[in-house]
């Protein structure tokens, strides 16, 4: 820590900045170009599953353009709601990339939700039908809410379907959608949720003990699925129904023992997609998907953006020795 100390930005302060989902997506696309040009360096995401359906992960990225090092640690603890706590908690350290001095400590919850939906938006901008009017959510937690906001910016949505194990969360998401002027209902079965919709978001608990219950063969031609949950709820063989499949990062996926989707169907990762190395586009004849674990680049891009906005707005608390 320098004599000037560091900036402390809890989640409430980050949310109060009013950054739109599309702005986070734009920041991620900028970072993907930087990575393709060698100006941004990342390591594969590190993750542990220590039991009780808990999921601990960390990401690390260094950017030359912003002279910034970003390290994030997040824990997903499914028992937390029963304790009166959010299921996801963590923190982000931002340091000067030239000196290693601490520049800021940030809450990780808002950034994790915002960057995850923004990663989906980056892929959906290219692979989904621009006229998409309906979306199905399998899983109705924080990620469903952030994706709803992001997809409402991108598409002329009219209808929301929700399928989830928790009635309270499903009802909450339906109420949230109705408050935004959308028609919303709970689906009785997974097949009812997926059949005929333009967009799908799956975000179930990250627990490999869950038996697969989704079939990509239910999707109509041209549908787009954002798979945020490591592919856990999907029957793996059915995923070959996707005509186009994108993952977040090839290096990270190669280093992962258990693959999210069959490797042979992967057509590009995000860097290849955005840089134009693999310019996939919306195909009305076949469904497409984006499967992702979350990448250090997303956390880096969102952190750099909020630091810029927070400093301009004088937000946060300066902590000195």
């Amino acid at each position: 820590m320098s004599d000037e100390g560091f900036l402390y930005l809890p989640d409430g302060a980050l949310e109060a900045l009013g950054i739109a989902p599309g702005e986070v997506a734009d920041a991620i696309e900028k970072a993907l170009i930087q990575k393709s040009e060698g100006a941004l360096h990342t390591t594969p995401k590190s993750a542990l599953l220590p039991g009780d359906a808990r999921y601990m992960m960390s990401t690390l990225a260094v950017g030359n353009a912003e002279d910034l090092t970003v390290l994030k640690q997040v824990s997903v603890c499914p028992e937390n709601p029963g304790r009166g706590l959010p299921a996801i908690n963590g923190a982000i350290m931002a340091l000067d990339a030239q000196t290693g001095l601490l520049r800021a400590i940030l809450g990780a919850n808002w950034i994790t939700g915002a960057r995850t939906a923004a990663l989906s938006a980056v892929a959906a901008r290219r692979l989904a039908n621009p006229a998409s009017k309906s979306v199905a959510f399998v899983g109705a937690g924080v990620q469903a809410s952030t994706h709803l906001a992001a997809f409402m910016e991108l598409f002329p949505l009219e209808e929301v379907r929700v399928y989830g194990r928790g009635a309270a969360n499903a009802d909450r998401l339906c109420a949230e959608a109705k408050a935004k002027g959308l028609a919303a209902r709970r689906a009785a079965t997974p097949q009812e949720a997926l059949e005929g919709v333009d967009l799908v978001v799956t975000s179930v608990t990250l627990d490999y003990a869950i038996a697969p219950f989704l079939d990509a063969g239910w999707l109509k031609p041209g549908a787009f699925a954002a798979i945020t949950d490591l592919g856990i709820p999907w029957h793996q063989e059915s995923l070959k129904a996707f005509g186009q499949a994108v993952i977040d990062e090839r290096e990270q996926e190669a280093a992962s023992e258990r693959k999210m989707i069959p490797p042979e169907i992967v057509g590009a990762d995000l860097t290849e997609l955005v840089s134009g190395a693999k310019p996939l586009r919306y195909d009305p004849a076949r469904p497409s998907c984006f499967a992702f674990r979350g990448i250090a680049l997303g956390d880096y891009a969102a952190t750099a953006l909020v630091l810029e906005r927070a400093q301009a707005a004088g937000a946060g608390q300066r902590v000195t020795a």
Side-chain angles (χ1 to χ4, degrees):
M1 184 175 72
S2 70
D3 293 339
E4 295 179 356
F6 63 90
L7 189 64
Y8 174 56
L9 288 159
D11 288 301
L14 299 177
E15 185 173 4
L17 292 172
I19 297 173
E23 294 179 284
V24 183
D26 289 344
I28 288 173
E29 294 205 16
K30 174 185 172 184
L32 287 165
I33 296 300
Q34 289 176 349
K35 184 183 178 188
S36 73
E37 296 172 345
L40 178 60
H41 307 276
T42 66
T43 61
K45 176 179 177 179
S46 175
L48 293 172
L49 295 166
D52 300 327
R54 289 172 297 149
Y55 178 76
M56 281 67 174
M57 57 75 64
S58 62
T59 64
L60 174 64
V62 181
N64 294 333
E66 292 84 7
D67 283 335
L68 191 65
T69 297
V70 173
L71 173 65
K72 185 183 87 166
Q73 194 287 320
V74 160
S75 299
V76 181
C77 302
E79 299 300 320
N80 270 6
R83 304 180 180 114
L85 298 170
I88 301 174
N89 291 295
I92 295 172
M93 282 199 311
L95 306 102
D96 187 290
Q98 297 297 323
T99 66
L101 291 174
L102 182 63
R103 288 174 52 180
I105 296 287
L106 304 88
N109 292 21
W110 184 88
I111 283 178
T112 298
R115 68 84 161 134
T116 304
L119 287 167
S120 290
V122 169
R125 284 171 170 177
R126 292 159 175 83
L127 299 179
N129 182 354
S132 293
K133 294 184 178 181
S134 57
V135 58
F137 293 97
V138 179
V142 172
Q143 289 302 335
S145 292
T146 57
H147 276 76
L148 177 60
F151 283 179
M152 283 192 70
E153 273 195 6
L154 276 180
F155 306 106
L157 292 183
E158 297 177 358
E159 177 193 357
V160 171
R161 301 179 198 173
V162 182
Y163 180 83
R165 293 184 300 173
N169 270 351
D171 288 341
R172 177 200 54 76
L173 185 62
C174 285
E176 184 179 327
K178 289 176 181 176
K180 296 176 183 293
L182 306 177
R185 63 180 175 86
R186 289 172 57 187
T189 67
Q191 187 169 355
E192 180 188 331
L194 267 58
E195 282 188 334
V197 295
D198 299 311
L199 307 166
V200 175
V201 178
T202 67
S203 57
V204 306
T205 302
L206 299 179
D207 182 359
Y208 284 116
I210 296 173
F213 57 91
L214 298 179
D215 190 321
W218 296 335
L219 296 171
K220 72 177 187 178
F224 170 78
I227 301 172
T228 79
D229 46 25
L230 310 181
I232 287 171
W234 294 86
H235 291 287
Q236 286 293 298
E237 189 63 25
S238 82
L239 294 175
K240 294 178 182 179
F242 287 113
Q244 301 185 108
V246 173
I247 58 174
D248 44 2
E249 188 174 79
R250 288 190 187 273
E251 179 186 3
Q252 178 169 273
E253 187 66 0
S256 302
E257 182 177 351
R258 186 162 180 167
K259 308 309 180 191
M260 297 180 289
I261 59 177
E264 63 268 25
I265 74 170
V266 176
D269 69 10
L270 276 187
T271 302
E272 295 168 334
L273 186 70
V274 172
S275 69
K278 302 278 183 149
L280 304 182
R281 292 293 181 264
Y282 166 62
D283 183 352
R286 304 179 298 175
S288 302
C289 76
F290 173 49
F292 60 114
R293 300 176 184 276
I295 49 175
L297 181 146
D299 297 313
Y300 176 93
T303 298
L305 175 62
V306 299
L307 282 179
E308 178 184 342
R309 293 294 178 82
Q311 289 162 359
Q317 176 185 351
R318 179 64 56 179
V319 179
T320 57

